[in-house]
Amino acid sequence: MSVNEANIQVIAIPLAEIEPNPDQPRKFFDGAKLEELAAQFRTVGQLQPIVVRPAGDKFQIVMGERRWRAMHLVEGAATIEAKVVASVDDENAFIMGISENIGRADMTLMEEAQAYADLVGFGYQAERIAEMFGKTVDYVKWRMDLLNLTTDIAELVAEGKIKADFAWYLSKLTPANQKVAVTRYMKGDFRTETDASTFAQALRMKENQEGFFSEKELSEKEKEDKVKERNQAKSKVDQVERAGTLLDELAKLTPSELAELFEGEVGKHLDAVERVRKAAAEAVKKLRKAKAMSEAKQLTVRPELEVEPDAEEAEGEEEPGEVEIAEVAAEEPDEAELAAAA
């Protein structure tokens, strides 16, 4: 947002004569971060002025509310350096406020989603919003999808207890199934963020009756064939476990020992193990989705949302691994896009 420099002057304004913008898109201000900024003010002073506009007998903040709040924590501070913008309407003031806050680590996902939705209320299209803030159109739409979350789940997202990718998948579910997935999530039922997102995907498929097990009645011959297929699959898994044991033994050897053992053929064996690794990674993705589908299909209970995990279950719980969404539908974000949106 550009402002005509001729309309700007920088002056020291009493803190008491400045008020925040009630339409400021950012609602949460981390107390610890404010204290850090206040400490910087005490040491080196204010490096960047805030931006305000006249509002009756006072001034209203356009950009810099965090600095204004931090200055209140500085002992003896009575004024703050500010650029006074003579002519900025409500819409442009709002856009400037968003521009300052988009991308800040302490702007919550829900604040960002609401800010984009408010711009839509001003008449902006997602394409224009994306262009204004250097985002993709899909990013803007995915963020606004979060506004479909129930109020209690949206609060968990705003508090950082639910991450962006899982939150997006939740937003595609009915309110009842949102609570099903979040209840399990808060209890620690999922080993990773990927498992949680995959389970939410499976619930969505169940809602749409997509990709689930066939309900048709099998003939006796088909039942026999199904039993054979299951036995063959179990046998293959047993072989995979044995192969895993062999790979564990290889992994215990040092590079020097491996070079000596496989002299002249290290590359060939490396290629073989690499093929196994890729196949295993693909099988893990599909088995993870199969597990989620099986669990989702069996669900019939609609439990109430449990905001906090039980103390005993939460104790010692490991942090979730990196997000790795498996086999998303064409209209859904892929792994790289979700990472960029996080």
Side-chain angles (χ1 to χ4, degrees), residues 10-68:
V10 179
I11 59 175
I13 301 177
L15 292 171
E17 294 182 12
I18 299 174
E19 57 187 18
N21 185 344
D23 295 324
Q24 149 80 284
R26 184 175 174 197
K27 307 300 179 185
F28 172 75
F29 293 87
D30 187 293
K33 295 290 180 63
L34 288 177
E35 181 52 47
E36 287 179 10
L37 185 54
Q40 176 186 309
F41 288 165
R42 296 185 190 103
T43 304
V44 298
Q46 181 187 352
L47 301 179
Q48 182 181 7
I50 67 174
V51 178
V52 299
R53 61 174 177 167
D57 58 351
K58 291 193 173 185
F59 296 91
Q60 186 181 85
I61 298 173
V62 175
M63 300 173 66
E65 183 173 341
R66 190 172 72 101
R67 278 163 279 161
W68 175 73

Side-chain angles (χ1 to χ4, degrees), residues 102-230:
I102 290 298
R104 285 190 184 276
D106 52 355
M107 186 181 195
T108 72
L109 295 175
M110 300 311 301
E111 287 174 342
E112 186 179 1
Q114 188 60 59
Y116 294 147
D118 289 342
L119 284 174
V120 171
F122 276 123
Y124 288 85
Q125 299 295 319
E127 291 77 10
R128 175 61 180 138
I129 297 172
E131 181 183 347
M132 290 164 62
F133 300 109
K135 306 293 184 181
T136 66
V137 175
D138 284 339
Y139 177 100
V140 172
K141 290 181 177 178
W142 296 334
R143 278 294 188 262
M144 288 193 290
D145 283 341
L146 298 182
L147 299 177
N148 294 325
L149 295 170
T150 62
T151 301
D152 45 6
I153 294 176
E155 289 177 359
L156 293 176
V157 174
E159 293 167 4
K161 294 179 179 178
I162 294 177
K163 295 185 179 179
D165 56 331
F166 181 46
W168 183 82
Y169 282 111
L170 287 173
S171 73
K172 313 305 288 186
L173 299 174
T174 63
N177 276 333
Q178 287 182 29
K179 291 191 175 185
V180 168
V182 170
T183 296
R184 292 196 59 191
Y185 184 84
M186 300 306 293
K187 283 185 174 181
D189 287 352
F190 303 112
R191 292 177 301 173
T192 65
E193 291 290 312
T194 304
D195 287 344
S197 295
T198 305
F199 179 73
Q201 277 183 273
L203 283 179
R204 185 183 179 192
M205 292 173 65
K206 182 181 180 182
E207 290 176 359
N208 298 329
Q209 293 299 305
E210 299 172 354
F212 270 81
F213 318 115
S214 173
E215 300 293 341
K216 73 173 185 177
E217 185 67 27
L218 299 178
S219 67
E220 289 302 317
K221 177 65 167 60
E222 288 173 329
K223 289 180 181 178
E224 291 177 4
D225 291 342
K226 183 65 69 176
V227 170
K228 289 180 181 179
E229 288 178 9
R230 286 175 178 170

